[in-house]
Amino acid sequence: MKKLLVALAAALLSASVFAGEFHLGTYFPVTKLDVDVDDDIGNGDFDASGFGIKFDYTYVADSNFTWKVGTAIGYTRSGDIIDKADEKAGGLDYDVGTGLGWTFINEPKVTLSLTGNLGLHMLYVDASEDIEGITIEEDVFSMLFYIGPEVTFAYRFTDSFGLYAGLGIYYSFGSTDIDISTKVSGYKNSSNDSYWTDGFIYMPSLGVSWKL
């Protein structure tokens, strides 16, 4: 009997832990950063925008206390921060984060939540350009910590299925590694440095939701 009660309690606990809402959709990250580069490298403005897939799990307690965890990955394009190679560079955008907050509207059809999020955001872009026989190759990798609010709205057509939209605005800080290679007549010269970076990340998203 004791074992049965323990198993029942564990089942109820598991149900309460996982009785949340899953969001799966598209996100459109816009990153505006200031990289503390040397004057002879570039102006330090690093803007990137793209699109990708975003997933999160959100749990709303009976008290309306809310927590969430999520991840996202996508393609991004960036204005090059190096003066000599100013073409758009393509690359990868990755995000993982968690948040705590409150659900102000928690009805069978509608949910509106506000959380304070923190997480890790990574950007990688590379570019190559030929200028009068000189080949310039550049790799830029930013690793950023961020903190800020996210608002999420969900509307359900049935008891479990619906649509959602979200917007996160985050202050970010971290470092950017810049690797520059210059090739002239078969000779290659390379440099690699890390620079302090801060700025803002704007992350709108929309997609479908499943409520358990």
Side-chain angles (χ1 to χ4, degrees), residues 171-187:
Y171 171 71
S172 62
F173 58 93
S175 66
T176 296
D177 293 337
I178 301 177
D179 187 354
I180 304 173
S181 298
T182 305
K183 297 180 181 179
V184 183
S185 301
Y187 294 96

Side-chain angles (χ1 to χ4, degrees), residues 119-134:
L120 177 66
H121 197 90
M122 290 182 284
L123 285 166
Y124 172 78
V125 296
D126 61 355
S128 178
E129 186 172 354
D130 292 324
I131 303 175
E132 298 180 354
I134 302 174

Side-chain angles (χ1 to χ4, degrees), residues 90-106:
L92 181 69
D93 182 279
Y94 176 74
D95 182 274
V96 60
T98 186
L100 299 174
W102 195 262
T103 295
F104 296 93
I105 301 176
N106 186 15

